[in-house]
PDB file of all heavy atoms in Angstrom:
ATOM      1  N   SER A 142      13.088  16.295 -18.410  1.00 94.00           N
ATOM      2  CA  SER A 142      13.589  17.435 -19.249  1.00 94.00           C
ATOM      3  C   SER A 142      12.931  18.734 -18.938  1.00 94.00           C
ATOM      4  O   SER A 142      11.973  18.837 -18.221  1.00 94.00           O
ATOM      5  CB  SER A 142      13.245  17.149 -20.796  1.00 94.00           C
ATOM      6  OG  SER A 142      11.894  17.154 -21.011  1.00 94.00           O
ATOM      7  N   SER A 143      13.602  19.827 -19.358  1.00 90.00           N
ATOM      8  CA  SER A 143      13.151  21.112 -18.953  1.00 90.00           C
ATOM      9  C   SER A 143      11.680  21.396 -19.450  1.00 90.00           C
ATOM     10  O   SER A 143      10.868  22.153 -18.897  1.00 90.00           O
ATOM     11  CB  SER A 143      14.095  22.251 -19.569  1.00 90.00           C
ATOM     12  OG  SER A 143      14.146  22.272 -20.877  1.00 90.00           O
ATOM     13  N   GLY A 144      11.377  20.815 -20.568  1.00 91.00           N
ATOM     14  CA  GLY A 144       9.989  20.964 -21.096  1.00 91.00           C
ATOM     15  C   GLY A 144       8.971  19.907 -20.580  1.00 91.00           C
ATOM     16  O   GLY A 144       7.840  20.039 -20.801  1.00 91.00           O
ATOM     17  N   GLY A 145       9.508  18.902 -19.751  1.00 94.00           N
ATOM     18  CA  GLY A 145       8.736  18.021 -19.186  1.00 94.00           C
ATOM     19  C   GLY A 145       8.219  16.847 -20.033  1.00 94.00           C
ATOM     20  O   GLY A 145       7.353  16.084 -19.674  1.00 94.00           O
ATOM     21  N   ASP A 146       8.652  16.803 -21.259  1.00 96.00           N
ATOM     22  CA  ASP A 146       8.260  15.808 -22.349  1.00 96.00           C
ATOM     23  C   ASP A 146       9.129  14.678 -22.382  1.00 96.00           C
ATOM     24  O   ASP A 146       8.809  13.779 -23.153  1.00 96.00           O
ATOM     25  CB  ASP A 146       8.142  16.484 -23.636  1.00 96.00           C
ATOM     26  CG  ASP A 146       9.437  17.062 -24.220  1.00 96.00           C
ATOM     27  OD1 ASP A 146      10.279  17.176 -23.384  1.00 96.00           O
ATOM     28  OD2 ASP A 146       9.472  17.338 -25.370  1.00 96.00           O
ATOM     29  N   GLN A 147      10.164  14.642 -21.558  1.00 97.00           N
ATOM     30  CA  GLN A 147      11.008  13.355 -21.483  1.00 97.00           C
ATOM     31  C   GLN A 147      11.576  13.147 -20.156  1.00 97.00           C
ATOM     32  O   GLN A 147      11.945  14.048 -19.533  1.00 97.00           O
ATOM     33  CB  GLN A 147      12.205  13.662 -22.508  1.00 97.00           C
ATOM     34  CG  GLN A 147      13.233  12.482 -22.684  1.00 97.00           C
ATOM     35  CD  GLN A 147      14.246  12.649 -23.763  1.00 97.00           C
ATOM     36  OE1 GLN A 147      13.914  13.029 -24.820  1.00 97.00           O
ATOM     37  NE2 GLN A 147      15.558  12.369 -23.405  1.00 97.00           N
ATOM     38  N   VAL A 148      11.646  11.855 -19.798  1.00 97.00           N
ATOM     39  CA  VAL A 148      12.244  11.419 -18.575  1.00 97.00           C
ATOM     40  C   VAL A 148      13.446  10.451 -18.849  1.00 97.00           C
ATOM     41  O   VAL A 148      13.478   9.876 -19.726  1.00 97.00           O
ATOM     42  CB  VAL A 148      11.151  10.717 -17.694  1.00 97.00           C
ATOM     43  CG1 VAL A 148      10.122  11.697 -17.225  1.00 97.00           C
ATOM     44  CG2 VAL A 148      10.677   9.446 -18.389  1.00 97.00           C
ATOM     45  N   THR A 149      14.364  10.517 -17.738  1.00 97.00           N
ATOM     46  CA  THR A 149      15.362   9.458 -17.738  1.00 97.00           C
ATOM     47  C   THR A 149      15.149   8.691 -16.522  1.00 97.00           C
ATOM     48  O   THR A 149      14.992   9.252 -15.424  1.00 97.00           O
ATOM     49  CB  THR A 149      16.791  10.082 -17.604  1.00 97.00           C
ATOM     50  OG1 THR A 149      16.905  11.029 -18.741  1.00 97.00           O
ATOM     51  CG2 THR A 149      17.840   9.190 -17.650  1.00 97.00           C
ATOM     52  N   LEU A 150      15.040   7.377 -16.775  1.00 97.00           N
ATOM     53  CA  LEU A 150      14.713   6.270 -15.691  1.00 97.00           C
ATOM     54  C   LEU A 150      15.897   5.402 -15.559  1.00 97.00           C
ATOM     55  O   LEU A 150      16.495   4.981 -16.580  1.00 97.00           O
ATOM     56  CB  LEU A 150      13.413   5.650 -15.979  1.00 97.00           C
ATOM     57  CG  LEU A 150      12.155   6.392 -16.367  1.00 97.00           C
ATOM     58  CD1 LEU A 150      11.017   5.561 -16.888  1.00 97.00           C
ATOM     59  CD2 LEU A 150      11.798   7.184 -15.147  1.00 97.00           C
ATOM     60  N   ARG A 151      16.164   4.972 -14.377  1.00 97.00           N
ATOM     61  CA  ARG A 151      17.127   3.845 -14.081  1.00 97.00           C
ATOM     62  C   ARG A 151      16.338   2.725 -13.579  1.00 97.00           C
ATOM     63  O   ARG A 151      15.481   2.856 -12.618  1.00 97.00           O
ATOM     64  CB  ARG A 151      18.180   4.358 -13.038  1.00 97.00           C
ATOM     65  CG  ARG A 151      19.137   3.114 -12.715  1.00 97.00           C
ATOM     66  CD  ARG A 151      20.149   3.605 -11.613  1.00 97.00           C
ATOM     67  NE  ARG A 151      20.885   4.844 -12.062  1.00 97.00           N
ATOM     68  CZ  ARG A 151      20.787   5.965 -11.450  1.00 97.00           C
ATOM     69  NH1 ARG A 151      19.934   5.997 -10.384  1.00 97.00           N
ATOM     70  NH2 ARG A 151      21.486   7.000 -11.805  1.00 97.00           N
ATOM     71  N   VAL A 152      16.612   1.561 -14.211  1.00 96.00           N
ATOM     72  CA  VAL A 152      15.883   0.322 -13.932  1.00 96.00           C
ATOM     73  C   VAL A 152      16.819  -0.616 -13.252  1.00 96.00           C
ATOM     74  O   VAL A 152      17.869  -0.834 -13.871  1.00 96.00           O
ATOM     75  CB  VAL A 152      15.180  -0.365 -15.190  1.00 96.00           C
ATOM     76  CG1 VAL A 152      14.462  -1.637 -14.777  1.00 96.00           C
ATOM     77  CG2 VAL A 152      14.259   0.696 -15.939  1.00 96.00           C
ATOM     78  N   SER A 153      16.407  -1.165 -12.046  1.00 96.00           N
ATOM     79  CA  SER A 153      17.345  -2.072 -11.470  1.00 96.00           C
ATOM     80  C   SER A 153      16.573  -3.167 -10.609  1.00 96.00           C
ATOM     81  O   SER A 153      15.307  -3.107 -10.644  1.00 96.00           O
ATOM     82  CB  SER A 153      18.181  -1.241 -10.424  1.00 96.00           C
ATOM     83  OG  SER A 153      17.464  -0.621  -9.467  1.00 96.00           O
ATOM     84  N   ARG A 154      17.227  -4.089 -10.149  1.00 94.00           N
ATOM     85  CA  ARG A 154      16.589  -5.195  -9.334  1.00 94.00           C
ATOM     86  C   ARG A 154      16.111  -4.643  -8.058  1.00 94.00           C
ATOM     87  O   ARG A 154      16.783  -3.921  -7.373  1.00 94.00           O
ATOM     88  CB  ARG A 154      17.698  -6.282  -9.161  1.00 94.00           C
ATOM     89  CG  ARG A 154      17.017  -7.642  -8.525  1.00 94.00           C
ATOM     90  CD  ARG A 154      18.090  -8.731  -8.418  1.00 94.00           C
ATOM     91  NE  ARG A 154      19.030  -8.773  -9.599  1.00 94.00           N
ATOM     92  CZ  ARG A 154      18.807  -9.600 -10.725  1.00 94.00           C
ATOM     93  NH1 ARG A 154      17.593 -10.040 -10.890  1.00 94.00           N
ATOM     94  NH2 ARG A 154      19.741  -9.538 -11.611  1.00 94.00           N
ATOM     95  N   ALA A 155      14.918  -4.929  -7.687  1.00 89.00           N
ATOM     96  CA  ALA A 155      14.362  -4.504  -6.388  1.00 89.00           C
ATOM     97  C   ALA A 155      14.998  -5.151  -5.168  1.00 89.00           C
ATOM     98  O   ALA A 155      15.480  -6.284  -5.337  1.00 89.00           O
ATOM     99  CB  ALA A 155      12.873  -4.691  -6.345  1.00 89.00           C
TER     100      ALA A 155
END
Side-chain angles (χ1 to χ4, degrees):
S142 67
S143 60
D146 60 343
Q147 181 172 314
V148 295
T149 301
L150 306 171
R151 181 179 302 110
V152 183
S153 57
R154 188 175 322 274

